[in-house]
C-alpha cells in the first residue's frame, strides 16, 4: 500500500513539473505571448544547457566549471561551519558559563544577515575563495547554533536522572544521553544551514567573484542572455535539491540507524 502511495505521489510530482514546462512552451513558442529575448522557450534553454557544457562563452567558463567552483566554495564554508557551530550550540546549552559568555555576542550577531557581511569579507580577504567561504560560514551560523542548542535543552530530565543514578559523570551524560537524543534537531539545523549557505554563495558570487553559477548569471544579465541565466537557475535549484537529498540520507542513517540499534 505504501509503495502505491509513493508511486502516486511520484506521478503527481512529474505532472506538476510537466504542467509548468507545457505552460512555459505555450506562452513562448506556442502562442508567442512573450518575447524570446525576455523569456526563451524550454527548447532553447535545453539547447543552451548542452552547448554550455563545452562552450565557455559568454562568461569564460563552462557550466561544469562553474558548478565545480560553486560546490568547492559552498561545501568548504559549510563543513567548516558545522565543525564550529554545532559544538558551540551544544556547549552553550550544556554549560551555563559558556552560554553566559557567548550569548551576548551571539544575540548581537544573530539579527545580521549573512549577506551583510559580503562587503566586510571582500575588504578583508579580497574576492577569492576565502571571502565567500566566510560569508557562507556566517550565513548558516544561526541555524546550526540554535538547533543544536534547542536539541540539547530539550533532553528529557528523566533520562538524565537515570544516568545520574547509575553514576554517570556530567561529560558522560552529555556524550551518551544529551547529544544522541538531540540528533534530530541537530540534523534539522544542518539542513536549514545548507539552504542558507547555498543562497549566500550565489549572492556572494554575483557581487564578488570571477567564476561560479552566481558569476555566470550576473555576467549574462548584462548581455541579455536569459537562456544562460535560466540554465544557471535550474543548475542552482537542482544542486540544492541534490545536496538536501544527500543530507536527508545521512540523517536517515544517523538518526534512524541509531534508534533501530537500541
Amino acid at each position: 500500500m505504501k509503495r502505491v502511495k509513493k508511486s502516486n505521489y511520484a506521478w503527481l510530482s512529474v505532472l506538476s513539473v510537466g504542467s509548468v514546462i507545457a505552460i512555459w512552451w505555450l506562452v513562448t513558442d506556442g502562442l508567442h505571448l512573450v518575447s524570446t529575448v525576455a523569456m526563451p522557450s524550454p527548447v532553447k534553454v535545453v539547447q543552451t544547457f548542452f552547448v554550455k557544457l563545452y562552450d565557455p562563452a559568454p562568461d569564460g567558463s563552462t557550466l561544469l566549471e562553474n558548478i565545480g567552483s560553486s560546490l568547492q566554495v559552498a561545501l568548504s564554508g559549510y563543513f567548516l561551519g558545522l565543525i564550529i557551530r554545532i559544538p558551540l550550540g551544544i556547549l552553550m546549552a550544556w554549560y551555563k558559563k559558556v552560554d553566559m559568555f557567548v550569548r551576548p555576542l551571539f544575540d548581537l550577531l544573530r539579527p545580521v544577515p549573512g549577506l551583510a557581511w559580503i562587503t566586510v569579507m571582500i575588504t578583508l580577504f579580497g574576492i577569492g575563495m576565502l571571502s565567500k567561504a566566510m560569508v557562507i560560514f556566517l550565513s548558516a551560523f544561526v541555524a546550526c547554533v540554535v538547533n543544536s542548542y534547542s536539541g540539547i535543552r530539550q533532553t528529557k530530565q528523566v533520562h538524565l536522572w537515570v544516568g545520574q543514578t547509575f553514576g554517570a559523570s556530567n561529560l558522560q551524560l552529555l556524550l551518551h544521553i544529551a547529544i544522541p537524543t538531540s540528533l534530530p534537531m541537530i540534523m534539522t539545523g544542518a539542513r536549514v544551514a545548507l539552504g542558507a549557505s547555498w543562497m549566500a554563495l550565489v549572492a556572494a558570487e554575483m557581487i564578488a567573484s570571477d567564476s561560479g553559477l552566481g558569476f555566470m548569471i550576473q555576467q549574462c544579465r548584462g548581455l541579455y542572455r536569459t537562456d544562460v541565466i535560466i540554465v544557471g537557475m535550474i543548475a542552482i535549484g537542482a544542486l540544492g535539491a541534490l545536496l538536501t537529498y544527500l543530507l536527508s540520507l545521512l540523517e536517515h542513517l544517523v538518526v534512524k540507524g541509531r534508534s533501530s540499534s537500541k
Side-chain angles (χ1 to χ4, degrees):
M1 188 66 179
K2 290 183 178 180
R3 291 183 178 179
V4 174
K5 288 184 177 181
K6 288 183 178 180
S7 178
N8 291 335
Y9 291 150
W11 278 110
L12 286 173
S13 300
V14 172
L15 180 62
S16 66
V17 175
S19 301
V20 172
I21 295 175
I23 296 172
W24 181 8
W25 178 87
L26 187 65
V27 300
T28 52
D29 282 351
L31 301 177
H32 300 283
L33 299 177
V34 181
S35 170
T36 55
V37 176
M39 176 59 71
S41 68
V43 176
K44 174 63 175 176
V45 171
V46 171
Q47 292 173 346
T48 302
F49 171 81
F50 286 107
V51 171
K52 192 61 181 164
L53 289 176
Y54 61 85
D55 186 3
D59 58 287
S61 300
T62 64
L63 180 62
L64 294 179
E65 289 173 342
N66 285 320
I67 289 175
S69 177
S70 293
L71 283 176
Q72 181 183 12
V73 177
L75 295 181
S76 61
Y78 176 70
F79 285 118
L80 174 64
L82 290 184
I83 295 173
I84 297 175
R85 294 182 300 246
I86 291 178
L88 178 61
I90 292 173
L91 292 175
M92 288 175 62
W94 193 253
Y95 297 103
K96 187 174 182 180
K97 291 183 179 179
V98 176
D99 188 24
M100 295 175 63
F101 180 78
V102 178
R103 180 170 289 277
L105 181 60
F106 178 75
D107 288 340
L108 179 64
L109 298 178
R110 181 176 178 176
V112 181
L115 298 181
W117 291 95
I118 293 178
T119 304
V120 177
M121 294 306 159
I122 293 173
T123 303
L124 293 176
F125 306 112
I127 63 172
M129 177 179 172
L130 182 58
S131 61
K132 296 191 287 290
M134 291 303 298
V135 170
I136 292 170
F137 171 83
L138 292 168
S139 297
F141 187 84
V142 173
C144 277
V145 173
V146 169
N147 279 271
S148 300
Y149 183 93
S150 300
I152 297 295
R153 297 289 290 181
Q154 290 177 9
T155 303
K156 292 183 178 180
Q157 191 65 37
V158 64
H159 293 165
L160 299 177
W161 288 339
V162 172
Q164 291 171 344
T165 301
F166 284 94
S169 65
N170 190 48
L171 181 60
Q172 289 174 327
L173 292 175
L174 173 63
L175 295 178
H176 299 291
I177 297 178
I179 292 179
T181 57
S182 66
L183 280 177
M185 287 289 292
I186 292 175
M187 294 303 298
T188 299
R191 284 207 312 272
V192 175
L194 179 62
S197 299
W198 195 239
M199 289 187 292
L201 168 71
V202 174
E205 287 180 338
M206 294 179 73
I207 297 174
S209 184
D210 54 5
S211 63
L213 294 171
F215 175 77
M216 182 181 76
I217 291 174
Q218 178 67 11
Q219 291 295 105
C220 293
R221 181 184 67 86
L223 300 173
Y224 298 102
R225 289 294 305 274
T226 50
D227 55 333
V228 181
I229 292 174
I230 294 176
V231 168
M233 293 169 62
I234 293 174
I236 291 169
L239 287 172
L242 176 61
L243 292 174
T244 301
Y245 174 72
L246 293 176
L247 193 57
S248 298
L249 290 180
L250 178 61
E251 178 181 6
H252 181 78
L253 291 175
V254 172
V255 179
K256 301 297 182 181
R258 183 177 182 86
S259 62
S260 62
S261 64
K262 291 181 180 180

